[in-house]
DNA sequence: CTCGATCCCTGGACGC
DNA sequence: TGCGTCCAGGGATCGA
């Protein structure tokens, strides 16, 4: 499940491997996860990949303009790739057989192919340029590694939603997913159902630091490989060994030995320590009472 | 504004 | 062994 550290890992690998290469041709398989397949097929061939960067959970392949376009001043063209749950983007020798679920193949000018494989097709791919690209990027919130404490605080405290939902909301912060949300909440000792706006400044600061530290460490360890994440070279990440909450239901908390619990918050599994991360006073209970009161059989 | 529900999709886990 | 069923999960969308 590629989140910020996994996508950063892939972006760095691609930057090393394919920056400067030119795309010669494109072959498409299933295209239901692509915004506009015809545009991809038309726009990619002839363009050089200037740079590969991460934007939230997106890979941003910044493309040079086509050789034969003299005017038109089409600046900033990019291929946006979201890996979804099971997406993978990696350059391989053209001689290598295509893996199952390979949906996009771009032949590069060094004889390799940049291949996108994605069994579940929860990913997304789009070619965007100029104003459309800017517009798309504007939709997302701050990068948690770039935001200062002040901006982080404003974003977390400015909305009335549960902290878990806020961390997962890409318009609040871009790049955080289920794993790193749970891990940072565990580290900061905050219950996932707490209302973001009701956190004390001290807790917000703790969360901010926990999130940054965890993301940085995870990047160093090339992300978390749970089911099938592999980097560009086909290597799994190592950070899953350092998970303290995510996926540890029923196992002892690393701090207090209490069994880790799992609840659904914002529609997602949320793992937390019921001892270290206390339920907000009245939070859960009040909601339940309200629901029961409204229901009359 | 915020919430839950639903859908997308496939492979893996599980039960018989 | 093999089949069916259930589930995970990021994000879009819709109705409450």
């Amino acid at each position: 499940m590629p989140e910020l550290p996994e996508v950063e890992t892939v972006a760095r690998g691609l930057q090393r491997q394919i920056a400067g290469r030119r795309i010669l041709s494109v072959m498409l398989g299933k295209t239901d996860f692509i915004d506009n397949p015809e545009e991809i097929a038309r726009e990619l061939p002839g363009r050089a990949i200037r740079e590969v960067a991460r934007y939230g959970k997106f890979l941003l392949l910044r493309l040079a303009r086509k050789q034969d376009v003299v005017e038109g001043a089409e600046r900033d063209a990019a291929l946006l790739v979201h890996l979804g749950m099971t997406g993978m983007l990696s350059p391989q020798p053209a001689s290598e057989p295509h893996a199952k679920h390979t949906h996009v193949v771009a032949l590069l000018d060094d004889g390799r192919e940049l291949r996108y494989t994605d069994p579940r097709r929860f990913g997304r791919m789009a070619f965007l340029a100029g104003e459309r690209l800017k517009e798309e990027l504007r939709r997302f919130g701050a990068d948690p590694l770039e935001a200062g404490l002040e901006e982080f605080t404003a974003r977390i405290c400015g909305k009335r939603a549960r902290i878990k939902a806020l961390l997962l909301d890409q318009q609040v912060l871009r790049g955080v997913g289920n794993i790193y949300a749970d891990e940072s909440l565990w580290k900061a000792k905050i219950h996932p159902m707490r209302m973001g706006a009701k956190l004390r400044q001290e807790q917000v600061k703790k969360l901010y630091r926990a999130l940054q530290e965890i993301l940085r460490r995870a990047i160093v360890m090339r992300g978390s490989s749970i089911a099938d994440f592999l980097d560009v070279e086909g290597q799994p990440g190592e950070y899953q060994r350092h998970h303290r909450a995510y996926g540890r239901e029923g196992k002892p908390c690393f701090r207090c030995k209490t069994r880790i619990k799992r609840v659904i918050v914002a529609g997602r599994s949320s793992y937390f320590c019921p001892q270290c991360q206390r339920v907000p006073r009245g939070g859960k209970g009040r909601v339940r009472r309200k629901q029961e009161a409204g229901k009359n059989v």
Side-chain angles (χ1 to χ4, degrees), chain A residues 160-181:
Chain A
R160 281 217 326 274
R162 295 187 167 102
I163 186 62
K164 175 70 181 268
L166 292 173
L167 288 172
L168 292 180
D169 188 340
Q170 300 300 297
Q171 304 196 51
V172 174
L173 292 173
R174 59 179 199 257
V176 181
N178 211 27
I179 296 175
Y180 298 100

Side-chain angles (χ1 to χ4, degrees), chain A residues 176-192:
Chain A
V176 181
N178 211 27
I179 296 175
Y180 298 100
D182 281 5
E183 290 300 307
S184 57
L185 287 172
W186 181 86
K187 184 157 201 215
K189 301 187 184 177
I190 297 170
H191 193 287

Side-chain angles (χ1 to χ4, degrees), chain A residues 142-159 172-173 201 204-209 212:
Chain A
D143 188 298
L145 290 177
E146 291 170 8
L149 176 58
E150 246 179 64
E151 180 174 18
F152 183 83
T153 303
R155 288 180 171 276
I156 290 299
C157 298
K159 291 199 166 192
V172 174
L173 292 173
Q201 180 54 36
V204 175
K205 193 168 163 184
K206 235 174 159 177
L207 178 60
Y208 169 76
R209 296 204 167 138
Q212 287 205 340

Side-chain angles (χ1 to χ4, degrees), chain A residues 183-250:
Chain A
E183 290 300 307
S184 57
L185 287 172
W186 181 86
K187 184 157 201 215
K189 301 187 184 177
I190 297 170
H191 193 287
M193 284 184 161
R194 288 287 301 276
M195 301 296 281
K198 289 195 173 175
L199 292 175
R200 287 176 324 219
Q201 180 54 36
E202 204 45 42
Q203 291 179 298
V204 175
K205 193 168 163 184
K206 235 174 159 177
L207 178 60
Y208 169 76
R209 296 204 167 138
L211 180 58
Q212 287 205 340
E213 188 178 330
I214 284 167
L215 291 174
R216 289 204 183 98
R217 283 194 187 169
I219 289 170
V220 170
M221 312 205 73
R222 301 184 346 276
S224 302
S225 292
I226 301 290
D228 36 24
F229 170 72
L230 298 175
D231 68 16
V232 169
E233 280 88 20
Q235 295 297 310
E238 298 289 338
Y239 194 74
Q240 67 279 4
R241 299 181 189 184
H242 297 264
H243 290 177
R244 294 293 182 254
Y246 183 82
R248 299 193 66 247
E249 183 178 15

